PDB file of all heavy atoms in Angstrom:
ATOM      1  N   SER A 206      -8.236 -28.145 -10.329  1.00 98.00           N
ATOM      2  CA  SER A 206      -7.834 -28.825  -9.101  1.00 98.00           C
ATOM      3  C   SER A 206      -9.035 -28.805  -8.170  1.00 98.00           C
ATOM      4  O   SER A 206      -9.705 -27.785  -8.042  1.00 98.00           O
ATOM      5  CB  SER A 206      -6.642 -28.113  -8.463  1.00 98.00           C
ATOM      6  OG  SER A 206      -6.246 -28.759  -7.273  1.00 98.00           O
ATOM      7  N   VAL A 207      -9.313 -29.930  -7.515  1.00 98.00           N
ATOM      8  CA  VAL A 207     -10.496 -30.062  -6.661  1.00 98.00           C
ATOM      9  C   VAL A 207     -10.053 -30.467  -5.260  1.00 98.00           C
ATOM     10  O   VAL A 207      -9.161 -31.307  -5.104  1.00 98.00           O
ATOM     11  CB  VAL A 207     -11.476 -31.119  -7.227  1.00 98.00           C
ATOM     12  CG1 VAL A 207     -12.698 -31.267  -6.320  1.00 98.00           C
ATOM     13  CG2 VAL A 207     -11.904 -30.759  -8.635  1.00 98.00           C
ATOM     14  N   THR A 208     -10.690 -29.869  -4.253  1.00 98.00           N
ATOM     15  CA  THR A 208     -10.427 -30.238  -2.866  1.00 98.00           C
ATOM     16  C   THR A 208     -11.750 -30.272  -2.116  1.00 98.00           C
ATOM     17  O   THR A 208     -12.782 -29.851  -2.634  1.00 98.00           O
ATOM     18  CB  THR A 208      -9.428 -29.259  -2.203  1.00 98.00           C
ATOM     19  OG1 THR A 208      -9.006 -29.793  -0.942  1.00 98.00           O
ATOM     20  CG2 THR A 208     -10.034 -27.882  -2.002  1.00 98.00           C
ATOM     21  N   ASN A 209     -11.712 -30.773  -0.893  1.00 98.00           N
ATOM     22  CA  ASN A 209     -12.908 -30.862  -0.076  1.00 98.00           C
ATOM     23  C   ASN A 209     -12.616 -30.300   1.303  1.00 98.00           C
ATOM     24  O   ASN A 209     -11.520 -30.483   1.834  1.00 98.00           O
ATOM     25  CB  ASN A 209     -13.379 -32.322   0.033  1.00 98.00           C
ATOM     26  CG  ASN A 209     -14.718 -32.443   0.694  1.00 98.00           C
ATOM     27  OD1 ASN A 209     -14.812 -32.441   1.913  1.00 98.00           O
ATOM     28  ND2 ASN A 209     -15.767 -32.541  -0.097  1.00 98.00           N
ATOM     29  N   SER A 210     -13.610 -29.631   1.874  1.00 98.00           N
ATOM     30  CA  SER A 210     -13.448 -28.989   3.181  1.00 98.00           C
ATOM     31  C   SER A 210     -13.352 -29.978   4.324  1.00 98.00           C
ATOM     32  O   SER A 210     -12.845 -29.659   5.382  1.00 98.00           O
ATOM     33  CB  SER A 210     -14.641 -28.074   3.455  1.00 98.00           C
ATOM     34  OG  SER A 210     -15.825 -28.861   3.583  1.00 98.00           O
ATOM     35  N   GLY A 211     -13.884 -31.167   4.128  1.00 97.00           N
ATOM     36  CA  GLY A 211     -14.077 -32.081   5.239  1.00 97.00           C
ATOM     37  C   GLY A 211     -15.399 -31.741   5.910  1.00 97.00           C
ATOM     38  O   GLY A 211     -15.986 -30.680   5.673  1.00 97.00           O
ATOM     39  N   LEU A 212     -15.884 -32.623   6.728  1.00 98.00           N
ATOM     40  CA  LEU A 212     -17.183 -32.454   7.378  1.00 98.00           C
ATOM     41  C   LEU A 212     -17.170 -31.292   8.366  1.00 98.00           C
ATOM     42  O   LEU A 212     -16.204 -31.108   9.110  1.00 98.00           O
ATOM     43  CB  LEU A 212     -17.544 -33.742   8.123  1.00 98.00           C
ATOM     44  CG  LEU A 212     -18.959 -33.848   8.657  1.00 98.00           C
ATOM     45  CD1 LEU A 212     -19.972 -33.910   7.520  1.00 98.00           C
ATOM     46  CD2 LEU A 212     -19.088 -35.087   9.532  1.00 98.00           C
ATOM     47  N   TYR A 213     -18.243 -30.511   8.351  1.00 98.00           N
ATOM     48  CA  TYR A 213     -18.422 -29.446   9.333  1.00 98.00           C
ATOM     49  C   TYR A 213     -19.905 -29.345   9.679  1.00 98.00           C
ATOM     50  O   TYR A 213     -20.762 -29.862   8.963  1.00 98.00           O
ATOM     51  CB  TYR A 213     -17.874 -28.099   8.839  1.00 98.00           C
ATOM     52  CG  TYR A 213     -18.598 -27.521   7.636  1.00 98.00           C
ATOM     53  CD1 TYR A 213     -19.726 -26.711   7.790  1.00 98.00           C
ATOM     54  CD2 TYR A 213     -18.163 -27.786   6.349  1.00 98.00           C
ATOM     55  CE1 TYR A 213     -20.388 -26.188   6.691  1.00 98.00           C
ATOM     56  CE2 TYR A 213     -18.817 -27.263   5.251  1.00 98.00           C
ATOM     57  CZ  TYR A 213     -19.936 -26.472   5.433  1.00 98.00           C
ATOM     58  OH  TYR A 213     -20.592 -25.960   4.343  1.00 98.00           O
ATOM     59  N   ILE A 214     -20.195 -28.687  10.790  1.00 97.00           N
ATOM     60  CA  ILE A 214     -21.576 -28.509  11.250  1.00 97.00           C
ATOM     61  C   ILE A 214     -22.024 -27.097  10.907  1.00 97.00           C
ATOM     62  O   ILE A 214     -21.373 -26.122  11.299  1.00 97.00           O
ATOM     63  CB  ILE A 214     -21.700 -28.759  12.765  1.00 97.00           C
ATOM     64  CG1 ILE A 214     -21.303 -30.203  13.078  1.00 97.00           C
ATOM     65  CG2 ILE A 214     -23.119 -28.471  13.240  1.00 97.00           C
ATOM     66  CD1 ILE A 214     -21.184 -30.508  14.553  1.00 97.00           C
ATOM     67  N   ARG A 215     -23.118 -26.994  10.174  1.00 97.00           N
ATOM     68  CA  ARG A 215     -23.681 -25.693   9.802  1.00 97.00           C
ATOM     69  C   ARG A 215     -24.154 -24.968  11.055  1.00 97.00           C
ATOM     70  O   ARG A 215     -24.851 -25.534  11.894  1.00 97.00           O
ATOM     71  CB  ARG A 215     -24.849 -25.894   8.841  1.00 97.00           C
ATOM     72  CG  ARG A 215     -25.515 -24.609   8.415  1.00 97.00           C
ATOM     73  CD  ARG A 215     -26.661 -24.902   7.460  1.00 97.00           C
ATOM     74  NE  ARG A 215     -27.366 -23.673   7.112  1.00 97.00           N
ATOM     75  CZ  ARG A 215     -28.436 -23.646   6.335  1.00 97.00           C
ATOM     76  NH1 ARG A 215     -28.911 -24.769   5.815  1.00 97.00           N
ATOM     77  NH2 ARG A 215     -29.021 -22.494   6.065  1.00 97.00           N
ATOM     78  N   GLY A 216     -23.756 -23.702  11.189  1.00 96.00           N
ATOM     79  CA  GLY A 216     -24.151 -22.895  12.339  1.00 96.00           C
ATOM     80  C   GLY A 216     -25.631 -22.551  12.314  1.00 96.00           C
ATOM     81  O   GLY A 216     -26.274 -22.540  11.256  1.00 96.00           O
ATOM     82  N   GLU A 217     -26.166 -22.238  13.478  1.00 93.00           N
ATOM     83  CA  GLU A 217     -27.595 -21.954  13.618  1.00 93.00           C
ATOM     84  C   GLU A 217     -28.066 -20.821  12.708  1.00 93.00           C
ATOM     85  O   GLU A 217     -29.144 -20.898  12.126  1.00 93.00           O
ATOM     86  CB  GLU A 217     -27.888 -21.600  15.086  1.00 93.00           C
ATOM     87  CG  GLU A 217     -29.352 -21.405  15.379  1.00 93.00           C
ATOM     88  CD  GLU A 217     -29.605 -21.130  16.855  1.00 93.00           C
ATOM     89  OE1 GLU A 217     -28.814 -21.580  17.706  1.00 93.00           O
ATOM     90  OE2 GLU A 217     -30.607 -20.451  17.142  1.00 93.00           O
ATOM     91  N   ASN A 218     -27.274 -19.764  12.568  1.00 95.00           N
ATOM     92  CA  ASN A 218     -27.655 -18.613  11.741  1.00 95.00           C
ATOM     93  C   ASN A 218     -26.971 -18.597  10.379  1.00 95.00           C
ATOM     94  O   ASN A 218     -27.100 -17.636   9.633  1.00 95.00           O
ATOM     95  CB  ASN A 218     -27.291 -17.310  12.472  1.00 95.00           C
ATOM     96  CG  ASN A 218     -28.024 -17.187  13.795  1.00 95.00           C
ATOM     97  OD1 ASN A 218     -29.194 -17.493  13.885  1.00 95.00           O
ATOM     98  ND2 ASN A 218     -27.306 -16.773  14.827  1.00 95.00           N
ATOM     99  N   GLU A 219     -26.252 -19.658  10.051  1.00 98.00           N
ATOM    100  CA  GLU A 219     -25.438 -19.685   8.839  1.00 98.00           C
ATOM    101  C   GLU A 219     -26.300 -19.820   7.576  1.00 98.00           C
ATOM    102  O   GLU A 219     -27.126 -20.718   7.479  1.00 98.00           O
ATOM    103  CB  GLU A 219     -24.463 -20.861   8.922  1.00 98.00           C
ATOM    104  CG  GLU A 219     -23.432 -20.894   7.839  1.00 98.00           C
ATOM    105  CD  GLU A 219     -22.435 -22.021   8.044  1.00 98.00           C
ATOM    106  OE1 GLU A 219     -22.346 -22.599   9.146  1.00 98.00           O
ATOM    107  OE2 GLU A 219     -21.734 -22.326   7.074  1.00 98.00           O
ATOM    108  N   THR A 220     -26.083 -18.917   6.622  1.00 98.00           N
ATOM    109  CA  THR A 220     -26.856 -18.929   5.376  1.00 98.00           C
ATOM    110  C   THR A 220     -25.997 -19.124   4.135  1.00 98.00           C
ATOM    111  O   THR A 220     -26.525 -19.407   3.063  1.00 98.00           O
ATOM    112  CB  THR A 220     -27.650 -17.615   5.208  1.00 98.00           C
ATOM    113  OG1 THR A 220     -26.725 -16.517   5.177  1.00 98.00           O
ATOM    114  CG2 THR A 220     -28.650 -17.421   6.341  1.00 98.00           C
ATOM    115  N   SER A 221     -24.659 -18.952   4.262  1.00 98.00           N
ATOM    116  CA  SER A 221     -23.796 -19.052   3.086  1.00 98.00           C
ATOM    117  C   SER A 221     -22.363 -19.373   3.484  1.00 98.00           C
ATOM    118  O   SER A 221     -21.976 -19.262   4.644  1.00 98.00           O
ATOM    119  CB  SER A 221     -23.835 -17.748   2.286  1.00 98.00           C
ATOM    120  OG  SER A 221     -23.328 -16.680   3.052  1.00 98.00           O
ATOM    121  N   VAL A 222     -21.580 -19.752   2.456  1.00 98.00           N
ATOM    122  CA  VAL A 222     -20.154 -20.022   2.623  1.00 98.00           C
ATOM    123  C   VAL A 222     -19.401 -19.190   1.584  1.00 98.00           C
ATOM    124  O   VAL A 222     -19.716 -19.232   0.396  1.00 98.00           O
ATOM    125  CB  VAL A 222     -19.819 -21.512   2.426  1.00 98.00           C
ATOM    126  CG1 VAL A 222     -18.311 -21.743   2.529  1.00 98.00           C
ATOM    127  CG2 VAL A 222     -20.558 -22.371   3.432  1.00 98.00           C
ATOM    128  N   LYS A 223     -18.424 -18.438   2.050  1.00 98.00           N
ATOM    129  CA  LYS A 223     -17.572 -17.652   1.160  1.00 98.00           C
ATOM    130  C   LYS A 223     -16.224 -18.357   1.063  1.00 98.00           C
ATOM    131  O   LYS A 223     -15.542 -18.544   2.072  1.00 98.00           O
ATOM    132  CB  LYS A 223     -17.380 -16.238   1.712  1.00 98.00           C
ATOM    133  CG  LYS A 223     -16.500 -15.355   0.850  1.00 98.00           C
ATOM    134  CD  LYS A 223     -16.407 -13.966   1.479  1.00 98.00           C
ATOM    135  CE  LYS A 223     -15.609 -12.997   0.655  1.00 98.00           C
ATOM    136  NZ  LYS A 223     -15.562 -11.668   1.296  1.00 98.00           N
ATOM    137  N   ALA A 224     -15.859 -18.764  -0.149  1.00 98.00           N
ATOM    138  CA  ALA A 224     -14.552 -19.361  -0.388  1.00 98.00           C
ATOM    139  C   ALA A 224     -13.626 -18.265  -0.919  1.00 98.00           C
ATOM    140  O   ALA A 224     -14.001 -17.509  -1.819  1.00 98.00           O
ATOM    141  CB  ALA A 224     -14.661 -20.501  -1.392  1.00 98.00           C
ATOM    142  N   ILE A 225     -12.448 -18.172  -0.346  1.00 98.00           N
ATOM    143  CA  ILE A 225     -11.450 -17.173  -0.734  1.00 98.00           C
ATOM    144  C   ILE A 225     -10.224 -17.920  -1.241  1.00 98.00           C
ATOM    145  O   ILE A 225      -9.659 -18.749  -0.525  1.00 98.00           O
ATOM    146  CB  ILE A 225     -11.080 -16.282   0.465  1.00 98.00           C
ATOM    147  CG1 ILE A 225     -12.327 -15.557   0.983  1.00 98.00           C
ATOM    148  CG2 ILE A 225      -9.976 -15.305   0.084  1.00 98.00           C
ATOM    149  CD1 ILE A 225     -12.136 -14.898   2.332  1.00 98.00           C
ATOM    150  N   LEU A 226      -9.819 -17.634  -2.477  1.00 98.00           N
ATOM    151  CA  LEU A 226      -8.658 -18.292  -3.071  1.00 98.00           C
ATOM    152  C   LEU A 226      -7.433 -17.395  -2.982  1.00 98.00           C
ATOM    153  O   LEU A 226      -7.466 -16.234  -3.402  1.00 98.00           O
ATOM    154  CB  LEU A 226      -8.941 -18.627  -4.545  1.00 98.00           C
ATOM    155  CG  LEU A 226      -7.829 -19.353  -5.299  1.00 98.00           C
ATOM    156  CD1 LEU A 226      -7.581 -20.745  -4.703  1.00 98.00           C
ATOM    157  CD2 LEU A 226      -8.169 -19.460  -6.778  1.00 98.00           C
ATOM    158  N   LEU A 227      -6.360 -17.956  -2.420  1.00 98.00           N
ATOM    159  CA  LEU A 227      -5.081 -17.253  -2.310  1.00 98.00           C
ATOM    160  C   LEU A 227      -4.073 -17.886  -3.247  1.00 98.00           C
ATOM    161  O   LEU A 227      -4.058 -19.116  -3.418  1.00 98.00           O
ATOM    162  CB  LEU A 227      -4.545 -17.341  -0.878  1.00 98.00           C
ATOM    163  CG  LEU A 227      -5.469 -16.894   0.250  1.00 98.00           C
ATOM    164  CD1 LEU A 227      -4.779 -17.098   1.599  1.00 98.00           C
ATOM    165  CD2 LEU A 227      -5.905 -15.460   0.073  1.00 98.00           C
ATOM    166  N   ASP A 228      -3.213 -17.052  -3.852  1.00 98.00           N
ATOM    167  CA  ASP A 228      -2.146 -17.604  -4.688  1.00 98.00           C
ATOM    168  C   ASP A 228      -1.033 -18.161  -3.793  1.00 98.00           C
ATOM    169  O   ASP A 228      -1.145 -18.136  -2.556  1.00 98.00           O
ATOM    170  CB  ASP A 228      -1.639 -16.576  -5.706  1.00 98.00           C
ATOM    171  CG  ASP A 228      -0.907 -15.388  -5.095  1.00 98.00           C
ATOM    172  OD1 ASP A 228      -0.542 -15.411  -3.896  1.00 98.00           O
ATOM    173  OD2 ASP A 228      -0.684 -14.410  -5.838  1.00 98.00           O
ATOM    174  N   ILE A 229       0.038 -18.641  -4.395  1.00 96.00           N
ATOM    175  CA  ILE A 229       1.108 -19.271  -3.600  1.00 96.00           C
ATOM    176  C   ILE A 229       1.814 -18.302  -2.675  1.00 96.00           C
ATOM    177  O   ILE A 229       2.465 -18.712  -1.722  1.00 96.00           O
ATOM    178  CB  ILE A 229       2.126 -20.010  -4.498  1.00 96.00           C
ATOM    179  CG1 ILE A 229       2.786 -19.053  -5.480  1.00 96.00           C
ATOM    180  CG2 ILE A 229       1.490 -21.165  -5.228  1.00 96.00           C
ATOM    181  CD1 ILE A 229       3.909 -19.664  -6.280  1.00 96.00           C
ATOM    182  N   ASN A 230       1.648 -16.994  -2.919  1.00 97.00           N
ATOM    183  CA  ASN A 230       2.252 -15.970  -2.056  1.00 97.00           C
ATOM    184  C   ASN A 230       1.285 -15.437  -1.005  1.00 97.00           C
ATOM    185  O   ASN A 230       1.622 -14.529  -0.257  1.00 97.00           O
ATOM    186  CB  ASN A 230       2.778 -14.814  -2.914  1.00 97.00           C
ATOM    187  CG  ASN A 230       3.874 -15.265  -3.850  1.00 97.00           C
ATOM    188  OD1 ASN A 230       4.803 -15.954  -3.437  1.00 97.00           O
ATOM    189  ND2 ASN A 230       3.743 -14.925  -5.121  1.00 97.00           N
ATOM    190  N   GLY A 231       0.060 -15.969  -0.967  1.00 97.00           N
ATOM    191  CA  GLY A 231      -0.914 -15.543   0.030  1.00 97.00           C
ATOM    192  C   GLY A 231      -1.774 -14.365  -0.380  1.00 97.00           C
ATOM    193  O   GLY A 231      -2.510 -13.827   0.430  1.00 97.00           O
ATOM    194  N   LYS A 232      -1.701 -13.955  -1.645  1.00 98.00           N
ATOM    195  CA  LYS A 232      -2.511 -12.842  -2.147  1.00 98.00           C
ATOM    196  C   LYS A 232      -3.851 -13.360  -2.653  1.00 98.00           C
ATOM    197  O   LYS A 232      -3.914 -14.346  -3.389  1.00 98.00           O
ATOM    198  CB  LYS A 232      -1.767 -12.146  -3.294  1.00 98.00           C
ATOM    199  CG  LYS A 232      -2.551 -11.003  -3.911  1.00 98.00           C
ATOM    200  CD  LYS A 232      -1.814 -10.420  -5.103  1.00 98.00           C
ATOM    201  CE  LYS A 232      -2.714  -9.413  -5.807  1.00 98.00           C
ATOM    202  NZ  LYS A 232      -2.206  -9.073  -7.132  1.00 98.00           N
ATOM    203  N   GLN A 233      -4.946 -12.678  -2.258  1.00 98.00           N
ATOM    204  CA  GLN A 233      -6.268 -13.097  -2.710  1.00 98.00           C
ATOM    205  C   GLN A 233      -6.398 -12.868  -4.213  1.00 98.00           C
ATOM    206  O   GLN A 233      -6.131 -11.777  -4.716  1.00 98.00           O
ATOM    207  CB  GLN A 233      -7.377 -12.337  -1.978  1.00 98.00           C
ATOM    208  CG  GLN A 233      -8.761 -12.800  -2.397  1.00 98.00           C
ATOM    209  CD  GLN A 233      -9.890 -12.159  -1.618  1.00 98.00           C
ATOM    210  OE1 GLN A 233      -9.691 -11.720  -0.488  1.00 98.00           O
ATOM    211  NE2 GLN A 233     -11.069 -12.124  -2.212  1.00 98.00           N
ATOM    212  N   VAL A 234      -6.843 -13.923  -4.933  1.00 98.00           N
ATOM    213  CA  VAL A 234      -6.975 -13.827  -6.384  1.00 98.00           C
ATOM    214  C   VAL A 234      -8.398 -14.120  -6.879  1.00 98.00           C
ATOM    215  O   VAL A 234      -8.711 -13.856  -8.035  1.00 98.00           O
ATOM    216  CB  VAL A 234      -5.963 -14.751  -7.106  1.00 98.00           C
ATOM    217  CG1 VAL A 234      -4.540 -14.236  -6.893  1.00 98.00           C
ATOM    218  CG2 VAL A 234      -6.105 -16.191  -6.662  1.00 98.00           C
ATOM    219  N   ASP A 235      -9.251 -14.679  -6.016  1.00 98.00           N
ATOM    220  CA  ASP A 235     -10.631 -14.967  -6.418  1.00 98.00           C
ATOM    221  C   ASP A 235     -11.452 -15.241  -5.161  1.00 98.00           C
ATOM    222  O   ASP A 235     -10.904 -15.495  -4.088  1.00 98.00           O
ATOM    223  CB  ASP A 235     -10.679 -16.189  -7.344  1.00 98.00           C
ATOM    224  CG  ASP A 235     -11.893 -16.227  -8.261  1.00 98.00           C
ATOM    225  OD1 ASP A 235     -12.817 -15.391  -8.083  1.00 98.00           O
ATOM    226  OD2 ASP A 235     -11.943 -17.088  -9.165  1.00 98.00           O
ATOM    227  N   GLU A 236     -12.771 -15.148  -5.322  1.00 98.00           N
ATOM    228  CA  GLU A 236     -13.682 -15.525  -4.237  1.00 98.00           C
ATOM    229  C   GLU A 236     -15.004 -15.957  -4.833  1.00 98.00           C
ATOM    230  O   GLU A 236     -15.315 -15.647  -5.981  1.00 98.00           O
ATOM    231  CB  GLU A 236     -13.876 -14.405  -3.220  1.00 98.00           C
ATOM    232  CG  GLU A 236     -14.585 -13.188  -3.733  1.00 98.00           C
ATOM    233  CD  GLU A 236     -14.758 -12.114  -2.660  1.00 98.00           C
ATOM    234  OE1 GLU A 236     -13.767 -11.802  -1.967  1.00 98.00           O
ATOM    235  OE2 GLU A 236     -15.874 -11.615  -2.533  1.00 98.00           O
ATOM    236  N   ASN A 237     -15.777 -16.699  -4.041  1.00 98.00           N
ATOM    237  CA  ASN A 237     -17.061 -17.209  -4.492  1.00 98.00           C
ATOM    238  C   ASN A 237     -17.937 -17.393  -3.260  1.00 98.00           C
ATOM    239  O   ASN A 237     -17.459 -17.785  -2.207  1.00 98.00           O
ATOM    240  CB  ASN A 237     -16.844 -18.560  -5.186  1.00 98.00           C
ATOM    241  CG  ASN A 237     -18.130 -19.214  -5.628  1.00 98.00           C
ATOM    242  OD1 ASN A 237     -18.842 -19.785  -4.803  1.00 98.00           O
ATOM    243  ND2 ASN A 237     -18.427 -19.154  -6.909  1.00 98.00           N
TER     244      ASN A 237
END
C-alpha cells in the first residue's frame, strides 16, 4: 500500500524524516 505525505517545507535544521507505522489499534509495528 502506498501513500503520500503531501507537500511540506523542510525545516532549517531538518536532516531526516522518521516514518512510524501504527497498526489498526494504534500500536507501533515498524519505523524507518
Side-chain angles (χ1 to χ4, degrees):
S206 180
V207 179
T208 191
N209 188 277
S210 66
L212 190 66
Y213 65 88
I214 298 171
R215 179 180 176 183
E217 185 177 332
N218 299 318
E219 188 176 344
T220 60
S221 63
V222 177
K223 180 179 183 179
I225 300 167
L226 181 64
L227 306 178
D228 67 13
I229 60 173
N230 297 312
K232 178 184 172 194
Q233 182 175 335
V234 292
D235 205 351
E236 67 179 48
N237 177 283

